[in-house]
Amino acid sequence: MDYIKETKIFVEKIKHLEEYTDYQNCKNVIETNPQLLEKVSEYKKKSFNIHIEYGDGSFECYENMLKLNKEYDEIIEQPEVKEFLEAENTLARVIEEVFDLIAKEIDLGISFIE
């Protein structure tokens, strides 16, 4: 069986999910405003770096995210940005569920990570 071909078919199915189309629609709205897109990208980069540096769920991560959200409050509270970030988060959870299922169903001997 050609697993690459099957994977591409599966990816196309994901692209037809409501979560993906919602994300794409929200992303398209943000992309119509280059300045807003730049600010949202800055926010996402800083957020990503905080989660990597301090570890998701840690007190330091929480504190730094509060500061970041306060700094970018004017941006992230705009309805189109809020909707975009929520859609992106929803899609990320879908992808995470897929990865988790693959990891669960295919024994790679990585139980030491837990």
Side-chain angles (χ1 to χ4, degrees), residues 46-57:
K46 288 179 180 182
S47 173
F48 178 81
N49 287 333
I50 287 170
H51 284 88
I52 294 298
E53 183 176 352
Y54 297 105
D56 195 30

Side-chain angles (χ1 to χ4, degrees), residues 71-109:
E71 178 185 345
Y72 281 83
D73 188 55
E74 184 179 308
I75 301 297
I76 63 175
E77 287 303 318
Q78 292 182 29
E80 63 271 23
V81 174
K82 198 171 198 171
E83 191 174 349
F84 167 71
L85 293 173
E86 288 171 3
E88 183 179 61
N89 191 36
T90 300
L91 179 59
R93 276 184 277 164
V94 168
I95 294 169
E96 180 181 23
E97 287 176 15
V98 170
F99 285 149
D100 287 348
L101 181 59
I102 292 169
K104 178 182 172 192
E105 295 296 324
I106 298 176
D107 183 12
L108 294 174

